[in-house]
Amino acid sequence: MEILADAGYQDMGLQTGGRVVTPPHRKFKKDAPAWYEERHRRQRKAHSTRRIRVEHGIAHLKNWRALARHLGPAST
């Protein structure tokens, strides 16, 4: 099973044998080659495109919970 995580979980991939997939690290702090900047941008974009589905699902559940709490229990 593959778990898509955000950048806050960078080291989880090492601890779980690669099952947690995070965006790539930045190797160069400054003066990075142009090819590296482009590759890094493409990799992060690809990860973000897959991860957005997870974020939308979490947001949907949070909104549903907020509405259920606001409307209260169903009246019979």
Side-chain angles (χ1 to χ4, degrees), residues 24 27 34-44:
K27 288 187 178 181
W35 62 267
Y36 179 79
E37 291 290 334
E38 179 62 25
R39 187 181 82 185
H40 186 263
R41 187 189 63 76
R42 278 195 320 257
Q43 287 175 337
R44 289 187 70 85

Side-chain angles (χ1 to χ4, degrees), residues 15-42:
Q15 296 172 5
T16 60
R19 287 180 295 206
V20 175
V21 179
T22 58
H25 290 281
R26 253 188 114 73
K27 288 187 178 181
F28 297 96
K29 297 288 185 191
K30 54 186 173 182
D31 299 330
W35 62 267
Y36 179 79
E37 291 290 334
E38 179 62 25
R39 187 181 82 185
H40 186 263
R41 187 189 63 76
R42 278 195 320 257

